[in-house]
Amino acid sequence: MIDSFEDHCWQDVVTPDVLDLYRFYKRDVYAGGPAALLAIDLYELAYEGGPHPVGVVTQEHPSSCGEHAWNAIAPTKRLFEAARRNGLPIFYTTGEVRPDATPPAIGATKRKKTKVSAEQLAIRADFAPQPGDVVIRKSRASGFYGTPLTAHLTQLGIRSVIVIGEATSGCVRSSVVDAYSGGFHVSIAEECCFDRSPLTHKINLFDMHHKYGDVMHVDDVI
């Protein structure tokens, strides 16, 4: 019988013996406050090629998350609506596009580099920034590393962040670890995160949930 702490998408890949190893991490989970919504890399690049299998769309769009990105649109819109309704500050991250701002050797990951345009790194219209929102441009995976994000949150008196976006195993994970390391309570909305691989998505959510943040279903966050 799976309890509420483990009632998440990783049930089909994490075996009972592994769950037993992690039993000491079990705790109450919650979306804390004062909170801000942190949307990681919800840019057009992740949706290129449409709502199709990743193996298909990446033939022409290697940075796309295909159907996984598109499946997350509806729950993510609901969370944005709730955040705005409750007056939460909203922060976005996206890639740095200014040629003089990032040395050629710097990359978010070790992945083979491809040329990306400003249009591809624009936040998707479904989640378009509104007046008062803040867009953070970054050169590394984490939304915190080398950016003023912590200063923004500190000035606003924020104690907790609700993290969404992509990729679960990359920029989301890096941002979650840095947020936790910086003393923020971290909640991660499961249905509002996605990756190219369901396996890496599930395993990274499992690992973050037990070590760094509270993975919660979007309905519970709302």
Side-chain angles (χ1 to χ4, degrees):
M1 180 73 176
I2 294 291
D3 60 26
S4 60
F5 185 74
E6 301 290 357
D7 186 18
H8 293 284
C9 61
W10 53 76
Q11 290 185 42
D12 62 336
V13 294
V14 179
T15 57
D17 59 314
V18 174
L19 290 177
D20 187 59
L21 293 175
Y22 282 82
R23 66 189 183 278
F24 300 108
Y25 289 94
K26 190 174 295 186
R27 61 192 183 276
D28 292 331
V29 301
Y30 60 95
L37 179 62
L38 178 54
I40 304 296
D41 298 356
L42 292 178
Y43 42 51
E44 293 291 352
L45 195 64
Y47 303 86
E48 288 183 331
H52 306 296
V54 178
V56 174
V57 297
T58 53
Q59 297 300 312
E60 294 186 22
H61 307 285
S63 295
S64 177
C65 290
E67 60 187 344
H68 308 310
W70 287 76
N71 289 341
I73 289 177
T76 301
K77 288 175 69 174
R78 289 181 52 233
L79 185 55
F80 266 101
E81 290 166 359
R84 297 194 188 284
R85 187 167 61 246
N86 286 277
L88 270 64
I90 296 177
F91 293 84
Y92 301 79
T93 69
T94 187
E96 179 60 77
V97 293
R98 296 171 298 173
D100 57 345
T102 303
I106 297 297
T109 68
K110 291 290 188 180
R111 189 172 178 218
K112 183 178 179 181
K113 286 189 175 182
T114 56
K115 189 172 182 179
V116 179
S117 69
E119 291 74 22
Q120 289 173 301
L121 291 180
I123 304 300
R124 185 169 178 82
D126 294 280
F127 324 113
Q130 304 297 312
D133 297 343
V134 178
V135 179
I136 301 289
R137 294 196 176 273
K138 60 187 177 69
S139 298
R140 291 300 201 184
S142 171
F144 290 87
Y145 187 85
T147 78
L149 179 55
T150 297
H152 280 286
L153 297 173
T154 301
Q155 289 293 321
L156 291 171
I158 298 300
R159 300 286 300 277
S160 302
V161 289
I162 300 166
V163 182
I164 62 175
E166 63 90 25
T168 312
S169 61
C171 297
V172 167
R173 182 188 176 96
S174 296
S175 299
V176 164
V177 172
D178 279 358
Y180 176 78
S181 299
F184 296 98
H185 175 79
V186 183
S187 304
I188 307 149
E190 177 179 323
E191 295 86 353
C192 303
C193 296
F194 54 95
D195 206 312
R196 291 171 190 85
S197 162
L199 178 61
T200 57
H201 171 73
K202 293 175 182 180
I203 291 299
N204 278 277
L205 282 180
F206 172 82
D207 199 54
M208 287 188 287
H209 183 58
H210 289 80
K211 297 176 182 176
Y212 308 115
D214 294 351
V215 173
M216 301 174 64
H217 293 292
V218 65
D219 288 340
D220 294 328
V221 176
I222 291 172

